[in-house]
Amino acid sequence: MTDIVHTPPATLTRAREIALGEGLQYVYTGNVHDTTGGTTYCPGCHQALIVRDWYNIKRCDITPDGKCPHCATPVAGAFETFHGQFGRRRIPLAINRR
Ligand SMILES: [Zn+2]
């Protein structure tokens, strides 16, 4: 697939904005350096909670029970306690299929 041109970052940003405008809450640009497009924002108070740049998680401010620390709105997902810098590592995920 090296013959296919990469999607321009501006197209990803526009698609994200359209999705957010339609009411989706967790929409991200991927495989690009775009901290705004890679960040998880609280659906209640809109504070930045998980700040990412590409695969680098720069900050994670979600309570261990999966809520915004500013307004206690639940954030969709499964979370563990985040200690310091996570970096660019990825965690393998096993999905059970029936
Ligand atoms: Zn909040």
Side-chain angles (χ1 to χ4, degrees):
M1 295 199 35
T2 56
D3 58 323
I4 299 174
V5 177
H6 296 169
T7 303
T11 301
L12 299 174
T13 298
R14 184 169 180 268
R16 179 177 177 271
E17 290 169 353
I18 291 168
L20 293 172
E22 292 296 321
L24 298 178
Q25 295 176 330
Y26 307 103
V27 184
Y28 308 97
T29 56
N31 297 330
V32 292
H33 289 288
D34 176 12
T35 302
T36 300
T39 294
T40 298
Y41 295 91
C42 173
C45 71
H46 307 290
Q47 289 281 324
L49 299 179
I50 304 173
V51 178
R52 303 177 191 87
D53 181 26
W54 207 303
Y55 295 119
N56 186 12
I57 299 175
K58 301 169 109 179
R59 181 168 53 87
C60 180
D61 292 334
I62 293 181
T63 64
D65 61 347
K67 295 179 180 173
C68 171
H70 308 286
C71 71
T73 296
V75 179
F79 303 96
E80 295 180 2
T81 302
F82 187 83
H83 299 287
Q85 291 292 319
F86 192 82
R88 295 182 61 154
R89 72 185 153 111
R90 294 186 244 171
I91 299 173
L93 179 66
I95 299 173
N96 291 328
R97 295 181 185 217
R98 296 178 186 214

